[in-house]
Amino acid sequence: MRPLFRYGLPDSFDPVQTKGVMGVDDQYEYFVTLPTEQFVRSVTPMLDQWMQQHEIPQVYLDIKEDSDYVKGRFSLFVSSYWQLFFEENWESIAPQFVKEAERIYYAVQDIPALLSYLQSISPAFSLDEETRRLTYSGCDLDEQAQQLILYPSYYYAQEPCLRKQGTNAHLLYSFS
């Protein structure tokens, strides 16, 4: 499964697509019911990037032959990864995610609260008073984003990372 994660995350993990997935059972249900065609579209960009620098991976050949089988293997991989690395810590970490979700909920109630919240993540955020749009210095986004998607992470220990994909801006940041 390495080629599926080496150059990014499949967009089937995108919070917009996984809205409502709040626990392990929800995640399992999500992957089981995810249409195979959507799963294949989700992993194809990572496989394409992999093949630019490496030989064709077996998972690529397997997707061409039996994409349902690969999707099942992927679901098993994600489930096993969860059990091995996260399940034991989840009870202590989960309340922190709930607290961060509450902070986000209250922050989006008005512009000053949102700006204050975003500046607590990174002082690079500001508000252009003339256009009433959020800006982020230090990151040249070619076009305006229509939506800012937050990725709070307990494990991410670097400076906040803002990337634009399509019409959305994605902000990965640590809250621990």
Side-chain angles (χ1 to χ4, degrees):
M1 294 293 158
R2 182 176 180 206
L4 302 181
F5 292 100
R6 174 65 173 96
Y7 294 101
L9 290 177
D11 69 7
S12 55
F13 285 101
D14 188 313
V16 173
Q17 291 188 41
T18 59
K19 190 174 186 167
V21 176
M22 302 300 278
V24 179
D25 293 337
D26 295 338
Q27 181 182 2
Y28 176 77
E29 179 70 22
Y30 168 73
F31 281 117
V32 167
T33 60
L34 181 69
T36 302
E37 300 78 31
Q38 187 175 341
F39 167 76
V40 171
R41 277 192 308 273
S42 176
V43 299
T44 297
M46 274 58 68
L47 290 171
D48 290 344
Q49 279 190 290
W50 177 271
M51 290 186 299
Q52 289 175 7
Q53 298 180 17
H54 303 88
E55 291 182 22
I56 295 174
Q58 185 62 46
V59 70
Y60 177 82
L61 301 173
D62 291 345
I63 280 179
K64 297 293 182 194
E65 187 175 314
D66 189 351
S67 52
D68 285 320
Y69 171 71
V70 175
K71 180 185 156 206
R73 276 186 16 211
F74 180 83
S75 298
L76 181 60
F77 171 80
V78 169
S79 175
S80 298
Y81 192 80
W82 165 264
Q83 288 176 337
L84 288 171
F85 297 104
F86 296 109
E87 187 174 40
E88 185 176 310
N89 297 327
W90 186 245
E91 269 189 48
S92 63
I93 297 170
Q96 293 176 48
F97 277 100
V98 170
K99 188 182 286 186
E100 185 66 10
E102 289 173 354
R103 285 184 60 209
I104 293 168
Y105 174 81
Y106 289 114
V108 299
Q109 300 303 313
D110 63 35
I111 297 291
L114 178 61
L115 183 59
S116 176
Y117 172 76
L118 292 173
Q119 287 176 335
S120 75
I121 295 170
S122 172
F125 280 101
S126 61
L127 180 66
D128 181 332
E129 293 293 339
E130 187 176 309
T131 62
R132 301 291 295 161
R133 294 178 188 232
L134 289 171
T135 62
Y136 188 82
S137 62
C139 183
D140 185 26
L141 300 176
D142 298 342
E143 306 168 16
Q144 296 176 5
Q146 300 300 311
Q147 191 172 33
L148 175 63
I149 301 171
L150 302 176
Y151 294 83
S153 175
Y154 180 83
Y155 296 99
Y156 183 75
Q158 300 174 24
E159 291 295 315
C161 176
L162 183 69
R163 294 218 170 105
K164 187 161 183 301
Q165 183 178 358
T167 60
N168 297 326
H170 302 263
L171 179 64
L172 173 63
Y173 65 98
S174 174
F175 72 90
S176 57

